[in-house]
Amino acid sequence: MIQVLFFAQVRELLGTAKLELSAEGITTAESLRAALAAKDDKWAKVMSSDKLLVAINQTMSQWDASVVDGDEVAFFPPVTGG
């Protein structure tokens, strides 16, 4: 299983903070994003954002980074500050 976490506006838009997903067919952060986007139109809109960031096992990652069974993957918007 892959533990998937959502933070900030991503969590608010999806209405959930986390879920578990089978690792079957998931090989990269991009393939995970595509699987989530396929859930429905709301998920597709949030997951298709070009501003979406991803971290795997609490390390900022690129979309082509490998994802394996047991990983924790987090999706969040860019962090801003002032």
Side-chain angles (χ1 to χ4, degrees), residues 15-61:
T16 188
K18 64 182 176 179
L19 58 84
E20 284 190 347
L21 193 66
S22 169
E24 188 175 329
I26 305 295
T27 57
T28 64
E30 181 60 40
S31 65
L32 174 58
R33 177 165 67 166
L36 293 171
K39 289 174 69 76
D40 65 32
D41 290 343
K42 174 177 70 173
W43 284 78
K45 183 177 179 180
V46 174
M47 291 289 113
S48 68
S49 171
D50 61 346
K51 294 183 168 99
L52 193 64
L53 299 176
V54 64
I56 301 172
N57 298 321
Q58 301 180 6
T59 300
M60 290 295 298
S61 301

